[in-house]
Amino acid sequence: MMDVKQYLLKKKKVIDEALDCFLPQPDVYPCSIHQAMRYSVMGTGKRFRPILTVATFELLGGEGDGDILRAACALELIHTYSLIHDDLPCMDDDAWRRGKPTLHKAFDESIAVLAGDALSALAFELLASTGRSDIIHEVAKAIGAQGMVGGQVVDIETEGKPFSSKDVEYIHSQKTGALITVAARIGAILAGAGIQELTSVTRFGKDLGLAFQIVDDILNLEGETDTLGKSTGTDEKKKKATYPALFGLEHSRLEAQRFIEKAKKELDMLGTSAYILKALADFVIQRTR
Ligand code: GRG
């Protein structure tokens, strides 16, 4: 059995090479937008979502690496787009991301907005190149007003206001969980999974996504900026709707662990070969960045 850290490193290299190939070259006119896209995408990102897509695809017997890599990279481009926009002054107004100044600080605000737009367009170009309209539909739904955008809206609208566990669960499952769930689903769909397999992968993704954001909340409180590569303590300052703010650190840790155990249980029907997805779930709870 492969160690999960080695697995992540190996797959990150494959994803990084594919991203490098899909992104426009920095010396192509208009250079500033292509440089900005590369500035944000390339580098220290963990590539958790595309790796999840590839791992699910491989677990369910998917073969060939053309469509799956294009789909997986599309999700990383969308994820990076969301980070760029999340960091903008009109949203979280953050100065540090992936171990360097945020895009609007390194370039400017208009380029940061446009780089997000261009990454979204490139992501859908890659998805369309698979010839699979079902995949395009899945991703569009996951990131729209009933998905990632919706989660971000509630995140912003609850800032500084009283909130309930229902609010924070909605924010987490939409802002973060929707993309993680669709990452696992796409791997399964492209592998030709049956309905039962797809159902268990979807449940796995939902629990994993919730745990991922709870751990993100915990790291925002307790993590080190140098290790995380992004600002810390910001949620508390902005009075964000987070798990630790509502339940405290200890209970949040237990909740994250509970969601991870639940996620792994969903994979039991897939047999012992699901060990790598289970190891990815354990990585989510153990991560320090
Ligand atoms: C992209 C359609 C679209 C809309 C944008 C701004 C916005 C709407 C949504 C924000 C979503 C967001 C930033 C959620 C937080 C997700 C999260 C936990 C990010 C950190 O992910 P990691 O730890 O980061 O995987 P790296 O840098 O490793 O990739």
Side-chain angles (χ1 to χ4, degrees):
M1 283 191 190
M2 193 186 279
D3 169 67
V4 70
K5 284 216 173 92
Q6 266 184 310
Y7 180 85
L8 285 166
L9 272 177
K10 190 174 140 212
K11 294 295 184 198
K12 176 173 159 55
K13 189 165 177 288
V14 174
I15 299 292
D16 281 349
E17 283 169 7
L19 286 167
D20 186 33
C21 158
F22 296 140
L23 281 163
Q25 289 305 311
D27 56 352
V28 170
Y29 185 81
C31 304
S32 55
I33 188 70
H34 301 140
Q35 287 161 5
M37 290 160 83
R38 283 180 167 271
Y39 176 88
S40 286
V41 174
M42 300 311 291
T44 63
K46 293 183 289 299
R47 314 302 187 210
F48 183 74
R49 294 148 191 83
I51 292 175
L52 181 60
T53 302
V54 171
T56 310
F57 177 77
E58 288 174 353
L59 163 68
L60 296 172
E63 278 171 20
D65 58 9
D67 283 353
I68 191 66
L69 268 183
R70 283 196 291 275
C73 286
L75 297 180
E76 182 64 23
L77 298 180
I78 290 168
H79 167 59
T80 307
Y81 153 37
S82 79
L83 299 179
I84 296 169
H85 281 197
D86 190 48
D87 291 336
L88 285 170
C90 63
M91 300 240 191
D92 279 0
D93 194 11
D94 271 316
W96 205 246
R97 172 72 71 179
R98 291 182 162 174
K100 55 191 182 184
T102 45
L103 188 60
H104 64 273
K105 295 276 182 197
F107 287 68
D108 62 38
E109 233 178 289
S110 52
I111 281 290
V113 171
L114 292 167
D117 297 342
L119 289 173
S120 170
L122 180 56
F124 279 96
E125 193 184 323
L126 287 175
L127 290 169
S129 73
T130 67
R132 296 283 303 252
S133 62
D134 52 345
I135 297 289
I136 301 172
H137 186 255
E138 286 264 340
V139 177
K141 264 203 100 62
I143 68 173
Q146 301 273 315
M148 192 189 231
V149 169
Q152 180 76 348
V153 168
V154 180
D155 177 292
I156 286 171
E157 288 180 351
T158 48
E159 210 175 288
K161 301 202 183 108
F163 62 93
S164 67
S165 58
K166 250 179 129 178
D167 297 324
V168 78
E169 227 175 90
Y170 181 85
I171 293 168
H172 285 29
S173 64
Q174 302 308 313
K175 181 180 86 165
T176 304
L179 193 61
I180 288 180
T181 306
V182 85
R185 277 180 65 83
I186 280 182
I189 293 168
L190 286 178
I195 187 77
Q196 280 189 331
E197 289 169 326
L198 191 55
T199 303
S200 77
V201 161
T202 304
R203 289 184 179 147
F204 167 75
K206 284 186 177 172
D207 289 331
L208 187 67
L210 274 174
F212 196 97
Q213 185 57 51
I214 298 172
V215 172
D216 205 72
D217 291 351
I218 295 171
L219 290 173
N220 187 280
L221 257 183
E222 285 203 312
E224 302 288 333
T225 298
D226 283 353
T227 317
L228 275 175
K230 59 183 180 182
S231 322
T232 51
T234 51
D235 290 345
E236 207 174 20
K237 249 188 244 153
K238 290 182 193 132
K239 296 194 169 56
K240 285 271 190 191
T242 66
Y243 261 71
L246 197 61
F247 300 115
L249 267 172
E250 215 36 59
H251 186 73
S252 301
R253 274 195 202 98
L254 291 173
E255 279 297 276
Q257 187 67 54
R258 188 174 68 82
F259 281 118
I260 289 298
E261 294 311 321
K262 212 165 144 258
K264 289 195 292 185
K265 210 125 197 61
E266 299 294 352
L267 299 177
D268 281 350
M269 70 154 296
L270 300 176
T272 51
S273 47
Y275 83 92
I276 201 73
L277 281 193
K278 292 186 180 181
L280 284 180
D282 285 329
F283 162 80
V284 163
I285 201 99
Q286 289 153 7
R287 72 192 178 97
T288 53
R289 60 175 283 264

